[in-house]
Amino acid sequence: MIALLYKYTVQFIIYRLRAGGQRIPGSDPALRSPLRGDLQLLPASSDEPRLRARLIDSAGLDLTQPLEFARVVQIRGEAMHITGFEITSRTTKGRATKCRQSWLCVWDEVVALQLLARVQINSITGFSPEDDDAD
């Protein structure tokens, strides 16, 4: 019964805000490449409170890597921001590669384009916000 409280599926337009764990600058055309599908927020397992976010097509296939340890960070107006980690591959020692990822979730592309136009990444000598993937 508790698992049903977490399950949420609805059609969304998703913009991936990171590539390889690094933020994508607002001027990069890759930031404006949306994916359309059903967003699912599900518990990672029946005995854990953490969430897993998936974007699936009508056949139930993943359109992009799922977000593990997903968190809905903000819901404002017609947009939702979800953060988490993409687990992309396993090395020969069996350890998974984990990269930060953020999704901007909207129903209307016009809303997303207005928000994406405000994305700025400013760097200062000796420090770059691009390096914020360190744990």
Side-chain angles (χ1 to χ4, degrees):
M1 174 84 174
I2 267 227
L4 293 177
L5 295 175
Y6 289 104
K7 188 170 182 175
Y8 183 65
T9 303
V10 70
Q11 184 76 27
F12 269 101
I13 302 169
I14 303 292
Y15 290 84
R16 295 167 38 102
L17 303 177
R18 293 175 177 262
Q22 305 300 314
R23 288 187 234 168
I24 301 173
S27 60
D28 191 333
L31 187 61
R32 287 162 180 79
S33 301
L35 299 168
R36 298 169 196 274
D38 290 326
L39 176 65
Q40 285 187 340
L41 294 173
L42 302 165
S45 68
S46 60
D47 59 340
E48 295 184 38
R50 64 180 202 207
L51 293 176
R52 179 180 213 208
R54 295 177 63 206
L55 186 67
I56 59 172
D57 62 12
S58 59
L61 301 174
D62 287 305
L63 296 171
T64 187
Q65 288 289 113
L67 292 183
E68 304 295 337
F69 304 97
R71 286 185 10 201
V72 177
V73 177
Q74 187 175 44
I75 300 174
R76 181 177 287 173
E78 298 178 20
M80 178 169 53
H81 183 205
I82 300 175
T83 63
F85 291 92
E86 289 180 338
I87 299 177
T88 54
S89 63
R90 298 198 178 273
T91 62
T92 56
K93 298 277 185 180
R95 296 200 68 182
T97 303
K98 190 167 75 167
C99 294
R100 289 182 189 210
Q101 183 56 266
S102 296
W103 290 352
L104 174 63
C105 310
V106 295
W107 292 284
D108 185 4
E109 270 187 270
V110 173
V111 171
L113 294 176
Q114 290 170 354
L115 293 171
L116 294 174
R118 298 185 342 204
V119 174
Q120 293 181 4
I121 299 176
N122 301 320
S123 64
I124 301 170
T125 306
F127 173 77
S128 171
E130 302 291 325
D131 297 331
D132 69 348
D133 195 33
D135 289 326

